[in-house]
Amino acid sequence: MDPRIREHAQTIVEHSTGIEAGDQVVVAAPPVAGDLVTALNELIGERGAYVVNTNNDPRFMRAFLRNAERDEFETPEHLLALFEAADVLIRVRAETNATEQSDVSPETNAAWKRAYKPVQAEALSKRWCLTQYPASGSAQLASMSTEAYENFVYDAVSLDWEKQEALQAEMVEILNDADEVRIKSGDETDVTMSIAGNSAINDKGMHNLPGGEVFTAPVKDSVEGEVYFDLPLYRQGREVSGVRVTFEDGEVVEYSAERNEEVLDGVFNTDDGARFLGELGIGMNRSIDRFTYNMLFDEKMGDTVHMAVGAAYPETVGDENEVNESAEHVDMIVDMSEDSVIEVDGEVVQRDGVFVFEDDF
């Protein structure tokens, strides 16, 4: 076994989830990630915890979704019961075919998201970690050799997380004292939002591995302006690119995409909360230096910001503000490396991807 796999597992168990004796752990992963699952099970056993392993191969979910009646979807109570009994949830992504679910309709996906929402809420209440195993399908989607993709993944997950946390703390401090954020990029993105009373979170590789962002929630009805998401997203086995969105009073009132706009139709029609922003995130992981069609990595890239329509993370929302609720949480990315600024309360804190607290500002 590649020693980096054991190091990856150790980071998940020790740093990201802090597994202790007696913990009830669920590990969900496809078979291609078997080496990482094996390493995780060894460490879980050594620590005196207990594990249930589930197979989340996307072929199985595709088979279910294409043959089930979406109008009859209900919350899977047996899965909800498993998550309720668990202390720690670990989910591993690893693609052998990144387009496996491309022939599941957006309407079916939206219906399943609504039915699954209580399960997702329960999962987010636990100690959880989402990570990536460098499978060949993921490498192919990123237009990389398998070896190059392995190096890319392991470099990103094996950072000095204390050092990364310290860097990101500078941005957390700026946002926690702020009322308004403005994002400008080129001629097509100019959007403002209030974050007054909300909290910024320092993502240091805990829930997401790799980490490497600072994120918060906008005040629900405060988002105004237009955004061109110039980096694509890969969702439901489809590339969605050239997304343009207009916000008024916090809500998406117009949208378009140059490719696969029907995927956005399914997202925005999932529920009322899917048309409001739940997250503003600022990428700060410089070890992620290329776009790979994998949001777990892409949203962390330096020189980017991302905005997620749908559910807000409750820990980012102050007591006086409304938590946006939705079955969706869909991140989309703006490239901030050129002709771009982030302004906080009228002061530029990032220009062309360089932060005010960095030497090259």
Side-chain angles (χ1 to χ4, degrees), residues 49-358:
Y50 302 92
V51 65
V52 170
N53 297 284
T54 66
N55 186 332
N56 65 350
D57 191 316
R59 293 177 302 163
F60 304 156
M61 183 53 67
R62 172 188 177 272
F64 169 73
L65 292 175
R66 282 179 54 84
N67 288 277
E69 177 51 61
R70 66 172 179 257
D71 292 336
E72 298 178 4
F73 281 159
E74 296 181 355
T75 298
E77 297 291 342
H78 56 317
L79 184 58
L80 178 59
L82 175 63
F83 286 8
E84 287 174 341
D87 301 301
V88 177
L89 304 174
I90 299 169
R91 182 183 169 205
V92 181
R93 289 180 179 174
E95 291 78 18
T96 52
N97 179 2
T99 63
E100 188 65 58
Q101 297 188 39
S102 61
D103 52 2
V104 178
S105 73
E107 295 81 9
T108 298
N109 278 302
W112 179 247
K113 282 281 190 180
R114 289 191 292 269
Y116 192 82
K117 183 180 176 182
V119 180
Q120 183 71 6
E122 183 64 29
L124 292 175
S125 73
K126 304 295 182 175
R127 285 142 52 205
W128 60 272
C129 179
L130 170 65
T131 194
Q132 179 77 35
Y133 180 82
S136 58
S138 311
Q140 186 175 34
L141 186 63
S143 299
M144 300 172 71
S145 69
T146 301
E147 181 181 5
Y149 189 69
E150 288 172 350
N151 294 335
F152 170 80
V153 169
Y154 293 130
D155 285 348
V157 303
S158 61
L159 286 186
D160 180 337
W161 289 111
E162 289 186 3
K163 181 178 179 180
Q164 186 69 24
E165 179 184 10
L167 170 69
Q168 294 171 182
E170 304 243 26
M171 196 66 212
V172 170
E173 184 176 357
I174 290 172
L175 293 179
N176 277 341
D177 291 334
D179 290 327
E180 184 179 84
V181 177
R182 184 180 188 184
I183 309 292
K184 297 174 64 179
S185 182
D187 297 327
E188 296 187 87
T189 293
D190 191 348
V191 62
T192 60
M193 63 194 73
S194 172
I195 59 171
N198 288 347
S199 298
I201 303 297
N202 191 334
D203 172 22
K204 52 188 177 182
M206 303 290 282
H207 292 315
N208 282 349
L209 187 65
E213 66 170 297
V214 171
F215 64 96
T216 187
V219 175
K220 183 175 179 178
D221 61 358
S222 71
V223 186
E224 298 282 347
E226 299 180 349
V227 184
Y228 174 53
F229 295 103
D230 43 6
L231 293 178
L233 67 148
Y234 209 79
R235 182 170 175 82
Q236 299 166 6
R238 304 170 180 88
E239 179 185 338
V240 185
S241 58
V243 176
R244 291 174 170 82
V245 175
T246 300
F247 294 94
E248 292 181 5
D249 296 325
E251 186 174 9
V252 174
V253 294
E254 292 182 23
Y255 65 89
S256 65
E258 296 166 8
R259 184 177 185 186
N260 286 322
E261 186 175 309
E262 68 276 7
V263 176
L264 292 183
D265 295 336
V267 169
F268 290 131
N269 292 324
T270 298
D271 51 37
D272 292 341
R275 287 179 176 260
F276 291 84
L277 275 191
E279 178 191 357
L280 168 67
I282 300 171
M284 299 185 67
N285 188 334
R286 302 289 190 194
S287 73
I288 302 174
D289 58 0
R290 61 181 293 166
F291 181 79
T292 61
Y293 288 96
N294 183 336
M295 194 59 69
L296 181 61
F297 291 77
D298 297 338
E299 69 174 5
K300 314 300 191 320
M301 284 192 298
D303 306 347
T304 66
V305 299
H306 57 277
M307 304 174 205
V309 293
Y313 294 106
E315 62 267 31
T316 64
V317 181
D319 293 339
E320 303 300 317
N321 291 329
E322 179 183 355
V323 178
N324 190 47
E325 295 187 359
S326 174
E328 291 285 8
H329 182 92
V330 180
D331 294 287
M332 295 178 281
I333 301 174
V334 180
D335 182 353
M336 300 292 289
S337 62
E338 296 181 359
D339 193 21
S340 302
V341 295
I342 301 174
E343 296 179 3
V344 176
D345 294 337
E347 298 291 331
V348 175
V349 300
Q350 187 199 72
R351 179 181 289 112
D352 298 342
V354 181
F355 293 98
V356 66
F357 45 81
E358 293 183 306

